[in-house]
Amino acid sequence: MSKSAHPYDLEDANDPYVPYELLDGVQYGEPPYEILGGKKVIMSPSPKYNHCSLVTMICTIFTNYILEKKINATVLGDNFDVYFSTKYHCKPDVSVICDRKRLRNGKRLYNAPDLAVEVISKSSEKIDTGEKKEKYEEYGVREYWIVDPDKKSIQVYHLVNGNFLDSGKYNFDGSGAGDKIDVSIFEDLIVDLKLVFKFVIDEEDDEEIIEE
């Protein structure tokens, strides 16, 4: 069952705090982007296989749990708009929301998801572990995962008294053994990294596939 959901602190549609030009997200024909510190940051238009595999598997794990428990939560993959303020508009790779009523018109979220996941790459690691982590903490993300496809690890942070607490790095050793994450936003969900990284391939294997 879901623990206490994030407070309903939703912006009014006519509130100038959220400018009209941001309400409809990415305009037709534009590449996906985020607003970080008031600046538009263009996102990669075609993430790698491992990134897609991890996002899909994490979404599947949470979706299966939500369906099994029949709770009013939802999980959304990348390119879903989360609006914190006029200066911060992000698209977490995975957003878990404990109460679907927090979605504005079923299209977007104002304020923080209960759990956010970022799958890092060489180009995104600095932002995901720096500025985004700081803003997720500031705006009240209750649990934050930083997933590293190369190291097959997940760094977990929990929000405690308004600050992120380093809850440790969980690892999958690639030989069939893996750590397990006790998800804080749900009472009885434990995520096995063996399942999360099940379809992840090593970079050298990826290169061999391309050469063939």
Side-chain angles (χ1 to χ4, degrees), residues 46-58 78 119 149 200:
S46 53
K48 291 185 177 181
Y49 165 81
N50 280 344
H51 179 282
C52 296
S53 173
L54 287 164
V55 169
T56 299
M57 186 57 76
I58 293 170
D78 49 7
V119 179
V200 168

Side-chain angles (χ1 to χ4, degrees), residues 82-177:
V82 175
Y83 295 90
F84 295 117
S85 71
T86 57
K87 290 186 176 181
Y88 286 95
H89 152 210
C90 298
K91 299 175 185 290
D93 288 324
V94 178
S95 298
V96 181
I97 303 163
C98 289
D99 190 340
R100 288 199 297 271
K101 292 180 181 178
R102 295 181 56 219
L103 292 170
R104 171 78 52 81
N105 298 324
K107 296 180 179 179
R108 56 187 69 86
L109 178 68
Y110 294 92
N111 211 320
D114 294 282
L115 184 147
V117 178
E118 296 289 357
V119 179
I120 63 172
S121 63
K122 291 179 181 178
S123 61
S124 72
E125 183 174 5
K126 183 177 180 180
I127 292 178
D128 291 338
T129 60
E131 184 173 7
K132 273 194 181 180
K133 174 177 170 287
E134 292 173 0
K135 293 304 171 183
Y136 287 170
E137 178 182 47
E138 177 182 344
Y139 287 102
V141 173
R142 294 163 57 197
E143 185 168 342
Y144 180 38
W145 293 9
I146 299 175
V147 183
D148 188 327
D150 296 332
K151 296 180 180 178
K152 295 184 175 65
S153 67
I154 301 179
Q155 174 68 53
V156 177
Y157 295 94
H158 292 113
L159 193 68
V160 179
N161 297 323
N163 297 301
F164 270 153
L165 175 67
D166 183 342
S167 298
K169 181 175 287 188
Y170 298 79
N171 300 282
F172 172 63
D173 65 10
S175 66

